[in-house]
Amino acid sequence: LPDSFFDVVIGNVPFGDYSVVDPQYNRLHFKIHDYFFAKSIDKLRTGGIIAFITSSVTSLRQTKPLKEMAEAARKFGHGEFDVRVSGSCERCDEVGELATAFNAMADSLAKSEARRSEFVANISHELKTPLTSISGIAEIIKGGLVKPQDIPGFADDIYGEAQRMIRLVEDILRLSQLDEGGSSLQTEEVDLYH
């Protein structure tokens, strides 16, 4: 039998020479088993730490761009249409595809918002022009600056501007219905040469 446990561990004693009935074997067997069990636990602990670190890094790599997209979506909800997700578009995985799609959606929404703002500005101008005309005519009539025989001419101007506003509002309502899909266009042929 070996002189010490150290001899068994470093391989100075052959393992196959001991019989099961030998009481020394049982004692030696447990020492070898305990040593290898302790080493196995150390290896498992080290492997577990490495696995934990690896999974944490991978998880952070996956969740960081998703958190950026969630923050960008919140900013979109508050009207900040210039926000984009950066850095994730270069990735060649599902997160990169999602980031690319998100930025494409953001570009589309920003363009829509710009068109809406332009439309509102144009409508405001188109409504303000006849209202200014009507207001000016009414002011000079109210101030007594118009001869009684000229009032019918001014009334015609007021009526014409009011009709222009009515047509503009009807066009806006028609556009709104078309946008919602609730109305169909009425088409007619037009001869462009005559």
Side-chain angles (χ1 to χ4, degrees):
L1 287 175
D3 293 331
S4 71
F5 176 66
F6 181 76
D7 287 335
V8 173
V9 172
I10 62 171
N12 292 338
V13 178
F15 288 86
D17 292 344
Y18 306 104
S19 82
V20 178
V21 291
D22 186 356
Q24 291 296 324
Y25 172 81
N26 288 334
R27 187 169 33 136
L28 179 62
H29 172 74
F30 287 121
K31 286 184 181 180
I32 293 171
H33 177 268
D34 291 347
Y35 173 79
F36 287 113
F37 181 73
K39 285 293 186 188
S40 296
I41 293 296
D42 284 344
K43 300 275 188 212
L44 285 173
R45 187 177 306 133
T46 304
I49 291 170
I50 291 171
F52 174 75
I53 291 170
T54 304
S55 67
S56 296
V57 169
T58 302
S59 177
L60 284 174
R61 188 174 187 281
Q62 293 294 329
T63 59
K64 183 181 177 193
L66 296 176
K67 287 181 180 179
E68 287 178 15
M69 282 182 250
E71 181 61 27
R74 278 191 281 281
K75 288 180 179 179
F76 260 79
H78 290 99
E80 297 179 42
F81 296 109
D82 59 337
V83 177
R84 299 295 178 275
V85 177
S86 61
S88 300
C89 297
E90 297 86 30
R91 294 172 58 139
C92 295
D93 61 0
E94 292 83 2
V95 175
E97 287 181 36
L98 182 61
T100 302
F102 183 90
N103 287 341
M105 176 200 67
D107 291 340
S108 177
L109 286 173
K111 287 176 185 173
S112 293
E113 179 60 21
R115 284 192 300 266
R116 187 195 64 78
S117 295
E118 182 182 1
F119 177 74
V120 169
N122 288 338
I123 292 299
S124 297
H125 175 73
E126 292 298 320
L127 287 172
K128 188 175 181 182
T129 302
L131 283 173
T132 302
S133 179
I134 291 170
S135 176
I137 293 170
E139 186 177 342
I140 60 173
I141 291 174
K142 180 180 173 187
L145 302 173
V146 177
K147 297 177 189 169
Q149 65 269 21
D150 294 335
I151 290 180
F154 283 106
D156 285 341
D157 291 343
I158 290 173
Y159 180 78
E161 294 296 330
Q163 290 303 308
R164 181 175 159 200
M165 286 178 52
I166 290 170
R167 283 191 307 276
L168 182 63
V169 170
E170 286 174 349
D171 288 345
I172 293 170
L173 290 173
R174 199 170 309 120
L175 282 174
S176 176
Q177 289 173 346
L178 287 172
D179 190 42
E180 294 173 3
S183 177
S184 61
L185 287 175
Q186 294 177 351
T187 59
E188 64 181 69
E189 290 188 27
V190 176
D191 185 3
L192 297 176
Y193 299 107
H194 293 99

